[in-house]
């Protein structure tokens, strides 16, 4: 199927959010380069359709602020460490994508000019228009937030049509599908239901920010090869979170 006739053509610009843990493979910690490559390939396949792509990658495979503060670290310092972890993941993804010939920019919410571009909204928009994948690093740049909130924030700022949240399971369930055989997957679910039932799609501030700006969230499995491209074409299983 040609890129033009592919149904994904209805999406012009999307944001893909993945957790840091998605990059660690079966290792339990850190980065697993073959896994990073695999996800980069998924991103490339969608970029090849002409879709403009923003990415936000978490840092939980390296460091989480809450875990640090639970062990006695000062919370804001621990959160900055978490934000720095996301920069490492962003650089790993950049390296994998560029190795496949996909042009990218890592754009950091915390200035580190030797490593990544600073976040300047209009400049980021220009990169997208030039079909560069923009990998937004360092979260929102503020402690007490998560990269889910950063993803929603950037999706709003970049006028993405939807947030694609790649996870280990193929959508949002009423209970943990790994633990419960009778867990049911929602085809669609409202932001308010996600919040009321604490369905664990994203943290509450991210969901509220998506709701207040009417930004759909599509939860799908990243483990399914070709899954991201398929979901963009309306295939496969996923959950749509909307108003
Ligand atoms: N973080 C933060 N502000 C942000 C985004 C992230 O302080 O805007 C810190 C926070 O400590 C968090 C860590 O970075 O625990 C890693 O991000 P996150 O937990 O969202 O990663 P994920 O769970 O998606 O891998």
């Amino acid at each position: 199927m040609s890129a033009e006739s592919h149904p994904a053509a209805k999406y012009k610009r999307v944001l893909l959010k993945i957790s840091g843990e998605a990059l660690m493979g079966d290792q339990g910690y850190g980065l697993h380069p073959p896994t990073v490559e695999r996800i980069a390939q998924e991103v490339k396949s969608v970029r090849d359709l002409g879709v403009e792509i923003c990415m936000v990658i978490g840092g939980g495979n390296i460091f989480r602020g809450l875990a640090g503060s639970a062990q006695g670290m000062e919370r804001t310092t621990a959160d900055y460490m978490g934000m720095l972890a996301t920069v490492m993941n962003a650089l790993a993804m950049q390296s994998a994508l560029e190795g496949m010939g996909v042009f990218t920019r890592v754009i950091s919410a915390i200035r580190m000019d030797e490593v990544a571009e600073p976040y300047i909204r209009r400049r980021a928009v220009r990169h997208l228009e030039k079909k560069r994948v923009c990998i937004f690093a360092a979260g929102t740049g503020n402690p007490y937030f998560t990269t889910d909130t950063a993803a929603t924030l950037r999706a709003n700022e970049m006028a993405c049509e939807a947030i694609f949240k790649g996870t280990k399971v193929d959508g949002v369930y009423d209970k943990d599908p790994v633990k419960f055989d009778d867990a049911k997957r929602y085809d669609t679910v409202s932001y308010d239901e996600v919040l009321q039932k604490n369905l664990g799609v994203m943290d509450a501030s991210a969901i509220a920010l998506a709701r207040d700006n009417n930004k759909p969230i599509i939860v799908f499995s990243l483990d399914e090869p070709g899954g991201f491209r398929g979901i963009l074409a309306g295939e496969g299983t996923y959950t749509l979170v909307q108003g």
Side-chain angles (χ1 to χ4, degrees):
M1 189 182 280
S2 75
E4 290 71 32
S5 64
H6 194 281
K10 77 173 177 160
Y11 287 102
K12 192 173 172 305
R13 184 178 295 167
V14 300
L15 185 141
L16 174 66
K17 163 74 206 317
I18 59 175
S19 69
E21 285 169 353
L23 303 183
M24 71 187 182
D26 295 329
Q27 292 176 160
Y29 180 81
L31 284 153
H32 182 240
T35 303
V36 180
E37 289 250 334
R38 184 180 65 74
I39 294 174
Q41 195 62 55
E42 298 281 323
V43 173
K44 179 182 186 303
S45 73
V46 170
R47 198 287 317 251
D48 289 348
L49 296 170
V51 179
E52 296 170 5
I53 302 178
C54 303
M55 287 186 82
V56 170
I57 309 173
N61 56 324
I62 300 170
F63 196 83
R64 276 210 180 87
L66 266 180
S69 77
Q71 290 178 305
M73 287 184 82
E74 196 261 323
R75 170 69 192 264
T76 52
T77 303
D79 275 342
Y80 279 115
M81 291 172 67
M83 287 183 257
L84 294 180
T86 73
V87 180
M88 291 175 67
N89 287 336
L91 292 174
M93 183 55 65
Q94 174 172 53
S95 166
L97 282 167
E98 300 228 328
M100 296 168 188
V102 177
F103 294 111
T104 66
R105 290 289 186 276
V106 172
I107 301 172
S108 175
I110 296 173
R111 283 197 84 113
M112 48 179 94
D113 296 352
E114 286 78 5
V115 176
E117 274 187 17
Y119 176 67
I120 299 168
R121 192 186 72 86
R122 294 174 66 106
R123 195 159 154 190
V125 168
R126 192 78 194 110
H127 289 319
L128 291 169
E129 287 167 356
K130 291 188 177 173
K131 308 295 176 208
R132 296 173 185 142
V133 173
C134 287
I135 309 168
F136 294 103
T140 62
N142 299 288
Y144 297 97
F145 286 95
T146 66
T147 52
D148 282 343
T149 310
T152 313
L153 175 68
R154 295 298 185 229
N156 288 333
E157 290 180 287
M158 295 296 120
C160 294
E161 292 147 80
I163 300 164
F164 285 75
K165 165 108 177 168
T167 70
K168 285 189 185 320
V169 289
D170 60 353
V172 182
Y173 285 77
D174 59 352
K175 47 191 157 185
D176 188 347
V178 181
K179 288 188 195 141
F180 299 95
D181 286 344
D182 63 339
K184 286 199 191 65
R185 188 178 53 76
Y186 294 91
D187 282 335
T188 61
V189 62
S190 70
Y191 303 111
D192 286 336
E193 200 171 344
V194 168
L195 289 173
Q196 278 155 17
K197 296 190 175 158
N198 208 3
L199 291 176
V201 178
M202 286 182 167
D203 62 82
S205 44
I207 296 289
L209 191 59
R211 179 192 60 192
D212 295 350
N213 295 281
N214 224 359
K215 200 61 70 189
I217 304 166
I218 292 152
V219 183
F220 71 103
S221 168
L222 256 188
D223 290 346
E224 192 64 44
F228 184 29
R229 186 177 162 122
I231 300 294
L232 273 155
E235 294 159 5
T237 47
Y238 56 90
T239 297
L240 173 64
V241 185
Q242 60 183 4

